[in-house]
Amino acid sequence: MATSGLPSDDLDRTLRFVLDRALGMGAVYADARFQDRRLTLVGLTARREGGTPGGGRAAWEVSRHTERGLGVRVVGPGGREGFAATSDLSRPALAKVVSDAAAGAMSGRAGPSGEGGEGTSLGPAVRTVGRAATPRRLHPDDLELEEKRDILRTFTAEAFARSETSTVSLAYADAAGTDVFASTEGSRVETDSARVILRAGVEARHALRAFDSAESLGGVGGLELLSELAVKDLARRLAANAADWLGAPAAPGGEMTTVLDNQAGENFVHEAVGHSCEADAVLTGASVMGGRLGREIGAPGVTVVDDPGRVGTVGMYVYDDEGVPARSVTLIEEGVLRAYLHTRRTAAAMGVEPNGHARARDFGYVPIVRMGTINIEPGEFTLEEMLEDIDRGIYLMGKRGGQVDPARGVFQFRPDRARLIRRGELGEPVRAPSLSGSILDILQSIDAVGRDLVFHPGGCGKGFPGQTIPAGSGSPHLRLTRATIGGAGSGDPDWAGRKEGGA
Amino acid sequence: MQDLLERAEQALELARRAGAAAAEAYVIDAPADAVSFERAGAGSGGVRLRTAVTVPHRGLGLTAQWGGLVGFASTTDLSAAGLEDVVRACRHAALPEEPGLALTPPSGVRPSPTPSDLVDRRVVEMSLADLVEVAREVAEEVWEAGGLAVGVVSFARCRRVAVANSLGLARSSLDTLVSAGAYAASPGGGLASWSRASRSLEGLRRLSVGRRAAGMALSSEGARDVVPGRQTVVLGPGAVLSLLAGSLGPALGADRVGEGSSPFSGRDGRPRLGEEVAASLLSVTDDATRPVGTGSYEFDAEGTPGGVTPLIRDGILVAVLHNNRTAAAARPAGEASSGNASRDRSDRMTTFVEPSGHFGYRSGVSPSTLVVQAPGRTYAGPGEAGVDRGLLVADVMGAFVIDPAVGDFSVTTTNAWALERGSPAYPVRRAMLTGNIYEMLKMVSALAGEPEDVAGPFSVLTPAWVVSELTVV
């Protein structure tokens, strides 16, 4: 293996130098993560001017990036962890980074109450030796920049085929490179990976009215994930969404029966279930899932799995950032909480095996508990069956992002767009309202799970300092008997007086 | 900082040798120490150290021009070989760009005072262990105020920046920032989070982050359901920043205005200056020169000194913010940059596959600190501002998905209290606020309380906003 700028022999000597130096400073454990990554970003904003099909103005933004560095984690005799990182791979810089990490691991005193002590162990030793390459057919490094720009041109031409389209906004990114993990327990894991993503937004505009629809395509893999067929299909769908929702009124607000499409369901399972099942939050009493293992927390049809091995999804990986092989974890099985997501430290604290969910943004960050690709397992319902006995409700479609407070047990997400449900059928389009709810209440309120599991790429921010990473998610359609919808209300008297409770 | 300027100038020289007609290099070295304490166990009031790390933020971004082509590339590798690589990558990424806009001399820069007190030597010299003690003090404050710390975080950054370009500009600066946040619980089940930042350790201590978090948690016990409907809402400074960070802030940038993705975009990409965009009592000024301001800086990401720019005066839009590129493109005859070039592109479309630092982006436009004032209509509190009943909101979640071009929002309160006779009467459970930011600006009827400096993607200095009518679900 020869990583860019650092031959294999040099890299192994570098890793050995770092680990030996850490042990020499009194560490009981140390690991080193080397990363060598290249990114290409291509942005395009194209606007129609004067009715010109294909866009009148197009602003491109292309950039290339090299990220190379090494992060060192040291565990001291008291179980404390220290971490430091550098992009300077000279011996003096590496020596300093080990010293900084060791200093963090060797000091400290008890908290203000005197309880709890400081730090916990990583648990039983883990020794993993392996080499992996994530699957791909068309490696991004093998394509010229113009071929990547052609993907964006293809999308733009297709989206502007709709006369209502006013603006196309695209962000393409590929990242490829090598990650090497080595530890004083004898692990040495090397992963060669590639990831491609296209984030697309299409806006339709008429006079002062505008609506935009957005979605992402891609995952861990190569340019085969952005085939011409898939790109054109996405462009057509987003252009149609933007045109169909142009001028849509605000959604009604209050509590109502809600159906989530695949992407809205993904947003829900990621925010509400995934984050609250992260063991670091559970251990500190900052998750409503704490103390509920083996208990029924959701409706019987709800099964949730996080599987970083799911090929093609953006959250796929083979080994986590502690060198632990990635493992599929069933978090909720038929409504019963079965497991949490773990790093080695949280697994040791709970007395279970680590399950390969330690991820770091890059070499500069310490690994923390993260999702890989999470999904709700499919059920038996069709969308029509879900709709047929809803008198009045709302259908939330697509995803724009969400947020969760696991300690309060509260989450919120915003879909891309919505439609009203009237007398068992989909009604008129409305602008996307946010959905807010109590995690446990919403899990109990799922009374129908669709048979149509679909995955999409997404991202996730967590931690202090904040770490943003790609994360995959999937969901079938879901029906919630009651959810709080933050709409600004509508002029339709049918929708009055939906909020229950009150002071 | 001399070494950073040398790296920048080396990159310029390598670009020149590679045939570039013009180039600009931005180099940053801003390692951040971060410490977090966590609750020691469910049911325990104790905390323990969870994380103590130093995160590197070091790299170089290079913009270079070859004839009509302009390229951009970045690297974390500041060695000679790394700089040669970044020039090659920049050349490879070069595309045609409108002539004259890529690298523009900072001509016509308005004179502006250099902000003072942006550096605390104690923060420059502090170790990670020192920061652990800062966070521990915050945890102890929570404890002493009768709360339980669910989590405490503290962050310290010492930022060195250098900007140089082939037109002879060469500047470097140093500043510090230290912050703390506490997530507190009360014995009766109240929860609250509170965080603030300062340029100095002493300034941070004066903000009493732990005590305020504990106080809010205690006053959040026994929350009731909110009364839905349209009502007066008082938004605390934290809630104001959350709502403006993804809406008004980016919408005031000439880049968005020029591309038509701001509500302030007019014909031909010109801003709708002179139009009423807010209640007549409101004035908003961007100020990068405030002493000790968390959003202040000596110069922006293109090397232009930070300035003071009135944006909204008595409700009327009077200016938008510029970097060199948008200033040169301003019609009809160009303008001077307002010193608001920023490489924080957090409001832009993301794929979550991103460079590891701000140096990985070309300059956009961002506010420094939005100073919000209402002369003659600022009161000591909601009661004095004439509020009888309503809702007091400390902060909200879910605001980051607001589209700045449209401004529709639908957010969930974190800590909120029902107001009766102008004072907090009881805490309310999760409530949703829904509306449109740009309509809300016109419904601000007063400001209440002391102005607070709240840091985020940019900073705001504002009292609480009294919004006369907002939909609460």
Side-chain angles (χ1 to χ4, degrees):
Chain A
M1 181 289 289
T3 62
S4 170
L6 204 58
S8 175
D9 288 352
D10 280 358
L11 176 59
D12 280 332
R13 275 197 292 272
T14 296
L15 295 171
R16 195 69 261 160
F17 171 78
V18 165
L19 297 179
D20 286 348
R21 194 170 179 90
L23 291 175
M25 297 183 80
V28 296
Y29 169 88
D31 61 40
R33 283 185 296 117
F34 171 80
Q35 181 181 59
D36 184 5
R37 193 170 70 144
R38 300 165 303 285
L39 288 82
T40 299
L41 272 56
V42 185
L44 170 63
T45 305
R47 298 176 197 291
R48 183 191 301 274
E49 282 186 346
T52 311
R57 279 190 296 162
W60 290 88
E61 196 163 311
V62 175
S63 57
R64 294 194 160 219
H65 312 272
T66 303
E67 299 188 352
R68 185 181 305 136
L70 186 133
V72 180
R73 179 169 65 163
V74 173
V75 178
R80 284 270 311 281
E81 285 181 31
F83 176 83
T86 181
S87 56
D88 182 349
L89 299 179
S90 66
R91 285 296 159 99
L94 292 170
K96 181 174 186 312
V97 90
V98 175
S99 298
D100 289 348
M106 307 295 174
S107 62
R109 62 181 172 88
S113 73
E115 298 174 68
E118 303 224 357
T120 50
S121 104
L122 296 178
V126 171
R127 184 175 184 276
T128 312
V129 177
R131 182 176 290 197
T134 56
R136 71 269 178 161
R137 291 203 299 278
L138 289 171
H139 195 290
D141 286 353
D142 294 339
L143 268 73
E144 295 295 327
L145 180 59
E146 279 308 301
E147 295 176 273
K148 296 171 186 176
R149 291 178 72 196
D150 281 345
I151 295 169
L152 280 65
R153 291 186 180 105
T154 297
F155 183 101
T156 305
E158 198 70 24
F160 275 115
R162 286 288 297 239
S163 61
E164 299 93 336
T165 298
S166 57
T167 305
V168 171
S169 304
L170 300 171
Y172 163 92
D174 64 52
T178 303
D179 292 85
V180 181
F181 173 90
S183 78
T184 52
E185 292 170 345
S187 284
R188 191 190 190 286
V189 169
E190 184 175 320
T191 307
D192 178 8
S193 65
R195 184 181 268 124
V196 299
I197 303 285
L198 177 67
R199 176 76 181 163
V202 176
E203 181 196 73
R205 184 176 285 274
H206 179 71
L208 294 177
R209 294 176 304 167
F211 188 89
D212 74 294
S213 181
E215 194 174 314
S216 297
L217 192 64
V220 168
L223 272 299
E224 70 278 2
L225 297 174
L226 304 183
S227 69
E228 184 176 346
L229 194 66
V231 168
K232 283 185 170 177
D233 176 62
L234 180 63
R236 278 193 294 269
R237 280 192 290 109
L238 295 185
N241 292 344
D244 293 348
W245 265 260
L246 183 61
E255 287 195 346
M256 61 191 78
T257 303
T258 303
V259 176
L260 309 182
D261 82 348
N262 306 91
Q263 292 191 67
E266 289 171 12
N267 219 341
F268 161 72
V269 71
H270 174 98
E271 298 296 344
V273 182
H275 280 301
S276 57
C277 286
E278 290 168 337
D280 48 355
V282 173
L283 274 169
T284 57
S287 170
V288 290
M289 296 297 184
R292 296 180 191 270
L293 279 179
R295 289 169 57 181
E296 186 178 301
I297 57 152
V302 177
T303 294
V304 177
V305 175
D306 189 290
D307 183 4
R310 198 172 281 275
V311 174
T313 63
V314 77
M316 186 210 170
Y317 52 89
V318 181
Y319 304 102
D320 77 359
D321 287 322
E322 293 182 314
V324 176
R327 191 184 300 172
S328 175
V329 180
T330 300
L331 299 169
I332 300 173
E333 184 179 25
E334 292 296 323
V336 177
L337 183 65
R338 293 295 184 202
Y340 302 122
L341 301 176
H342 284 291
T343 59
R344 288 183 60 185
R345 191 180 72 88
T346 64
M350 287 193 185
V352 299
E353 284 187 24
N355 52 30
H357 282 80
R359 298 180 68 190
R361 184 191 196 278
D362 57 39
F363 69 88
Y365 292 80
V366 69
I368 57 175
V369 184
R370 304 305 292 259
M371 286 170 258
T373 293
I374 192 168
N375 73 276
I376 295 190
E377 292 289 85
E380 296 177 343
F381 284 80
T382 64
L383 175 59
E384 291 70 27
E385 289 167 342
M386 287 186 186
L387 296 174
E388 65 187 10
D389 53 355
I390 300 175
D391 184 38
R392 288 180 310 195
I394 193 161
Y395 180 44
L396 303 185
M397 308 161 76
K399 61 178 177 181
R400 284 301 183 92
Q403 202 169 345
V404 65
D405 182 340
R408 288 186 173 93
V410 171
F411 72 97
Q412 142 149 7
F413 72 83
R414 198 195 132 197
D416 185 67
R417 59 203 185 280
R419 293 178 71 169
L420 298 181
I421 303 170
R422 294 176 187 277
R423 290 173 284 280
E425 293 188 349
L426 290 179
E428 60 270 38
V430 289
R431 295 205 301 273
S434 288
L435 182 152
S436 175
S438 147
I439 294 168
L440 297 177
D441 288 350
I442 295 285
L443 278 172
Q444 290 287 359
S445 80
I446 298 174
D447 73 341
V449 179
R451 57 175 69 157
D452 54 340
L453 174 61
V454 179
F455 290 85
H456 289 90
C460 178
K462 180 192 166 185
F464 184 80
Q467 301 193 42
T468 306
I469 57 166
S473 51
S475 176
H477 274 73
L478 304 172
R479 184 173 66 189
L480 318 176
T481 54
R482 260 170 49 142
T484 304
I485 300 298
S490 71
D492 185 342
D494 279 359
W495 291 92
R498 288 158 308 281
K499 177 79 184 184
E500 296 176 6
Chain B
M1 282 177 295
Q2 193 57 33
D3 61 323
L4 294 189
L5 259 183
E6 284 171 8
R7 302 296 169 99
E9 287 169 345
Q10 281 170 19
L12 296 182
E13 175 58 19
L14 289 168
R16 190 190 63 77
R17 285 189 211 160
E24 175 200 75
Y26 172 92
V27 194
I28 186 168
D29 186 9
D33 288 344
V35 168
S36 66
F37 278 85
E38 64 186 12
R39 191 189 284 190
S44 164
V47 293
R48 68 176 166 220
L49 185 61
R50 175 177 179 179
T51 311
V53 299
T54 301
V55 177
H57 182 192
R58 181 172 182 263
L60 178 145
L62 178 72
T63 309
Q65 189 171 351
W66 286 267
L69 304 179
V70 176
F72 177 75
S74 80
T75 183
T76 58
D77 183 355
L78 301 187
S79 68
L83 297 182
E84 285 177 9
D85 280 348
V86 82
V87 172
R88 274 194 294 273
C90 190
R91 180 72 185 85
H92 191 79
L95 292 176
E97 188 160 308
E98 207 170 330
L101 300 186
L103 284 171
T104 308
S107 59
V109 170
R110 299 168 304 178
S112 58
T114 300
S116 57
D117 300 326
L118 301 188
V119 180
D120 179 353
R121 283 286 155 196
R122 284 172 302 176
V123 177
V124 175
E125 289 157 11
M126 75 191 291
S127 67
L128 195 56
D130 295 331
L131 189 65
V132 169
E133 294 310 311
V134 171
R136 197 187 301 276
E137 282 177 31
V138 174
E140 284 167 356
E141 257 187 28
V142 174
W143 184 254
E144 286 163 7
L148 313 169
V150 176
V152 170
V153 295
S154 191
F155 168 94
R157 182 199 70 199
C158 176
R159 177 170 66 177
R160 294 177 173 85
V161 175
V163 184
N165 70 26
S166 53
L167 301 166
L169 181 143
R171 291 201 168 109
S172 60
S173 71
L174 165 69
D175 64 35
T176 56
L177 192 74
V178 57
S179 71
Y183 197 152
S186 72
L191 284 170
S193 56
W194 188 259
S195 63
R196 285 293 183 265
S198 174
R199 291 293 184 181
S200 70
L201 272 176
E202 201 45 50
L204 184 68
R205 289 197 173 104
R206 282 197 299 270
L207 292 169
S208 304
V209 167
R211 194 162 66 243
R212 290 191 73 166
M216 282 173 56
L218 287 162
S219 67
S220 296
E221 291 182 357
R224 306 182 204 168
D225 286 337
V226 72
V227 179
R230 288 183 72 79
Q231 55 191 277
T232 299
V233 174
V234 180
L235 298 169
V240 170
L241 177 63
S242 293
L243 287 166
L244 301 191
S247 57
L248 182 66
L252 286 167
D255 50 350
R256 281 191 172 272
V257 170
E259 67 190 26
S261 57
S262 163
F264 309 134
S265 303
R267 282 179 171 277
D268 302 327
R270 299 183 201 194
R272 291 162 48 193
L273 301 184
E275 292 194 16
E276 184 183 326
V277 297
S280 60
L281 61 94
L282 268 190
S283 290
V284 179
T285 299
D286 184 77
D287 189 349
T289 70
R290 289 183 56 248
V292 307
T294 59
S296 297
Y297 44 74
E298 281 183 44
F299 57 82
D300 70 4
E302 293 171 333
T304 306
V308 180
T309 309
L311 297 165
I312 298 171
R313 186 179 291 142
D314 302 330
I316 306 295
L317 183 69
V318 294
V320 293
L321 300 170
H322 283 288
N323 62 14
N324 281 337
R325 193 157 42 150
T326 63
R331 297 176 191 187
E335 294 183 19
S337 167
S338 58
N340 288 91
S342 167
R343 293 177 190 258
D344 179 354
R345 307 295 294 275
S346 54
D347 65 305
R348 295 288 168 172
M349 185 177 265
T350 177
T351 60
F352 294 97
V353 176
E354 300 169 319
S356 62
H358 295 164
F359 56 86
Y361 294 94
R362 283 186 73 177
S363 292
V365 180
S366 172
S368 55
T369 298
L370 292 181
V371 180
V372 182
Q373 293 172 305
R377 295 298 300 275
T378 304
Y379 302 91
E384 290 82 352
V387 179
D388 181 29
R389 299 173 72 87
L391 190 68
L392 172 63
V393 177
D395 209 342
V396 297
M397 61 190 279
F400 71 97
V401 292
I402 298 172
D403 177 355
V406 180
D408 285 348
F409 66 88
S410 178
V411 296
T412 304
T413 60
T414 51
N415 287 90
W417 297 264
L419 292 168
E420 291 180 357
R421 290 182 290 282
S423 297
Y426 57 87
V428 301
R429 286 194 193 96
R430 170 181 55 87
M432 295 187 81
L433 309 179
T434 181
N436 180 281
I437 293 288
Y438 305 111
E439 289 171 13
M440 188 185 87
L441 285 173
K442 296 177 179 175
M443 294 189 292
V444 176
S445 58
L447 301 182
E450 289 296 314
E452 287 190 40
D453 180 332
V454 193
F458 55 88
S459 296
V460 295
L461 180 71
T462 183
W465 291 19
V466 179
V467 182
S468 55
E469 260 202 346
L470 213 50
T471 300
V472 178
V473 178

